Amino acid sequence: MKTYFVYIVKCKDNSFYTGVTSNLELRIDQHNFGIKPDSYTFKRRPVELVWSEGFSQVDQAILWEKKIKGWSRRKKIALIESNWDDLVLFSKNYTQFGNKINE
């Protein structure tokens, strides 16, 4: 059975890039080698893998990739750090939580 990975890399400029692949090691190498000059990570190399999750179905992996791409930076950091309390907090309406959001 094939595994599909959703992954987050941290770029040299501290931004995050989220993608999906069936070969995680090769894909990270491709990001760092710079295969496509017009890609997001090309001018932000090197990149570092900071999070990944495997899925058995490609459609599930693509769904999660799209969800994560829509998340705020702080929510992505909570995921990377396995900080489930903040992940839940940052999934709610920001106006409900006062200073915790601005920390």
Side-chain angles (χ1 to χ4, degrees):
M1 178 166 48
K2 196 167 198 170
T3 301
Y4 301 90
F5 297 92
V6 178
Y7 64 92
I8 301 174
V9 294
K10 185 176 182 181
C11 300
K12 179 176 68 174
D13 66 357
N14 288 322
S15 65
F16 294 121
Y17 175 82
T18 303
V20 65
T21 185
S22 62
N23 187 330
L24 188 56
E25 186 176 333
L26 175 63
R27 188 67 186 110
I28 301 307
D29 287 345
Q30 289 172 337
H31 280 296
N32 280 318
F33 185 70
I35 302 291
K36 297 179 182 177
D38 60 337
S39 69
Y40 180 83
T41 58
F42 187 83
K43 292 182 179 179
R44 294 171 172 87
R45 295 176 287 155
V47 302
E48 171 191 4
L49 178 66
V50 292
W51 180 87
S52 68
E53 183 70 39
F55 296 84
S56 59
Q57 297 184 10
V58 69
D59 57 333
Q60 288 296 319
I62 292 169
L63 178 66
W64 271 100
E65 176 199 25
K66 288 180 180 182
K67 283 183 182 184
I68 293 170
K69 282 186 173 188
W71 289 1
S72 67
R73 177 178 178 80
R74 62 179 56 115
K75 189 171 176 181
K76 290 175 189 176
I77 291 170
L79 175 66
I80 292 163
E81 295 176 348
S82 299
N83 185 335
W84 310 125
D85 291 337
D86 278 356
L87 187 64
V88 170
L89 178 69
F90 298 144
S91 296
K92 297 180 181 179
N93 184 336
Y94 286 97
T95 61
Q96 297 175 5
F97 298 100
N99 292 336
K100 176 67 176 174
I101 301 301
N102 296 320
E103 292 177 355

